Amino acid sequence: MLVPTVPGTVEQAVPFACHVAHDSQLTRLWQGQSYGLEPAATFAYLAGAGYRVPAGTSVLVTPLRHPAQAALEARTVAAATGHPAVIGYGPGSRAVQRARLGAPYGDPVAASAEFLRATRDCLAQPWDPPARSAGSAHRYFHAGQALPPVAHPRVQLALGVLRRRMARAAGEVADAALTWLTPADYVRRVVVPEVAEGADSAGRPRPRVIAAVPVAVARPGRHPAGLAQLAAGGHLVLPHYADMLARAGIDVSTGDSTAAARALVDGGAFLYGRPADIAAGLAEYAAAGTDEVILNLTGVQSWYGTDETLLDLSEILAATASLNW
């Protein structure tokens, strides 16, 4: 599950870490990019508080960090939790790139792939292929020397994927491809095939595909479009998300945020309904080739708080328990 809020204090993440620690169906606690508390620090706090659960990030934006710092944070998460970690990166929006770097990347896909390679070079993990030669070109990032070795569980480096080129790049260089707001049919038609093609071209196994899926249980008085807007509204105004959703058959370019959120629900990018309906929707992601699903209950948390969020989570997990994954 995703920590369904941007924590302002580390204690806010505790109820969700506790749930992951005690529910065998939940395999990992995820956190997105935070402009409040650094996710690596939050996971380290949770581990120190007794919640040493597997952790993942989906996704950290590359304009905020150097590859050496990214490698240091990534292995800190793995070492502190005692579990293999999945650490995802992406270029962020052009506005974020401009604000942090002074100008957007000329080629965000190439920059992301180069960032991942540079971060892997800094980690220099024994299971990785040898680092590139010193003469390799560096258009966006220079890794420098590998960090001094520290024993830690494996770090899997992932790329955030929305469209074809990034999916293919993930297949070429990443350990996993992370999607966000992508309907199951789009994952089946676009993401999985492109990741597989990129992997084939690089002569390597297909990376895992991981999908973050916003969900909410239907209850009296709830408004699905409002919940979808709380869960995804910030992404709907970004051109690269609007373009991906249009390619998936969901029109969010109306200028009406409520209509856009309703389109997310109608198009299956936001799963709303009975727990059994949500479980069936999640099964479609598995059938599409998704290897791991991240349950995103941000909308419920934002509107109704932690108790109802955990109630939704428990009912959805109970419904999925009867499915043959």
Side-chain angles (χ1 to χ4, degrees), residues 101-125:
L101 304 174
Y105 296 128
D107 185 337
V109 175
S112 299
E114 189 175 313
F115 183 92
L116 216 69
R117 291 189 183 100
T119 303
R120 182 172 283 119
D121 286 352
C122 291
L123 282 168
Q125 300 178 118

Side-chain angles (χ1 to χ4, degrees), residues 43-87:
F43 289 130
Y45 168 84
L46 292 172
Y51 303 103
R52 301 188 76 193
V53 298
T57 63
S58 177
V59 297
L60 307 178
V61 297
T62 59
L64 291 180
R65 47 187 47 83
H66 184 276
Q69 179 65 27
L72 189 59
E73 293 169 355
R75 78 179 189 185
T76 296
V77 172
T81 63
H83 296 282
V86 182
I87 309 297

